[in-house]
Amino acid sequence: MATPTIKNAAAEQGFEYLPLIAGWLVPGAGHFLLRKWGRGALLAASILGMFTLGIAMQGKLYAGAHDILDILGLAGDLGNGLLYLLSRVAGLGADQVQVTTADYGTRFIVVAGLLNVIAAVDAHNLRTGRKS
Amino acid sequence: MFRPSHFAAVVLFALFASVVFGITQRETPRRMVRYGIYCFVLFVGSAVVLSWLMFLIAR
């Protein structure tokens, strides 16, 4: 019984929003900070896999906000944190969708960002004790 | 360039989304697995059912 208490005490030290911010910047990092290694690895593999496949399908990375759909797409993409920024810097992704699989890829990238936000909020809930 | 079929894209999408949903929406490992499988079946199943509906409507 003593082990979980020690683990929880260690996890609850430091800045309360650190798992949330780390989880947003790097998929799974929020759970790794809380020593949830298995959950963090599965979340990281899923989100990284989805983002990578989206890029491999020549999905579009939203760069600007010209209309409401672009704004929503950009919001989803920004959920990927550093993955989005690094991909933009590296020039990955397509500027325009030209084939069907590129349209799938665009959705994969947006949904990977949204799933990453869910995972980061989950890490925050674990940190605050809202979730056990 | 990776070019999956529509069905392969659905299965991959369902797999990744179900893993995240399972881990984040349930508390115990057993319930996480069950909810993940439930989400996966719903994702793929609804895609198959809707595809057949669209096929029959288009005929």
Side-chain angles (χ1 to χ4, degrees):
Chain A
M1 292 298 286
T3 310
T5 310
I6 292 167
K7 277 186 181 174
N8 287 341
E12 286 172 8
Q13 290 172 354
F15 182 46
E16 187 181 20
Y17 294 98
L18 186 61
L20 178 70
I21 296 167
W24 168 58
L25 289 174
V26 180
H31 287 77
F32 291 143
L33 280 176
L34 298 170
R35 300 179 186 186
K36 303 282 184 187
W37 307 110
R39 293 185 202 184
L42 280 170
L43 289 171
S46 296
I47 293 161
L48 285 170
M50 201 161 200
F51 185 86
T52 307
L53 286 180
I55 293 290
M57 285 187 242
Q58 290 292 302
K60 175 184 170 184
L61 280 172
Y62 288 93
H66 305 295
D67 57 44
I68 186 69
L69 289 177
D70 279 352
I71 294 170
L72 292 172
L74 182 63
D77 279 3
L78 284 171
N80 287 299
L82 288 179
L83 280 177
Y84 172 75
L85 294 175
L86 292 174
S87 300
R88 283 288 309 281
V89 170
L92 299 174
D95 293 328
Q96 286 192 330
V97 173
Q98 292 177 331
V99 291
T100 312
T101 47
D103 196 33
Y104 302 161
T106 305
R107 306 301 156 228
F108 268 54
I109 294 168
V110 171
V111 174
L114 298 176
L115 292 175
N116 192 38
V117 171
I118 293 174
V121 170
D122 185 61
H124 180 65
N125 286 338
L126 287 167
R127 170 66 180 78
T128 57
R130 203 172 294 159
K131 185 179 176 187
S132 58
Chain B
M1 184 178 172
F2 179 55
R3 288 183 175 223
S5 66
H6 196 157
F7 184 70
V10 165
V11 171
L12 287 168
F13 182 97
L15 178 69
F16 294 134
S18 300
V19 169
V20 176
F21 282 178
I23 291 172
T24 57
Q25 304 301 312
R26 292 293 182 269
E27 300 211 353
T28 61
R30 186 181 173 84
R31 294 190 69 202
M32 286 176 186
V33 172
R34 286 184 64 179
Y35 189 67
I37 293 169
Y38 173 72
C39 288
F40 181 81
V41 170
L42 276 187
F43 271 128
V44 177
S46 59
V48 170
V49 169
L50 287 172
S51 302
W52 272 107
L53 276 177
M54 286 188 281
F55 172 76
L56 293 171
I57 289 169
R59 286 184 76 186

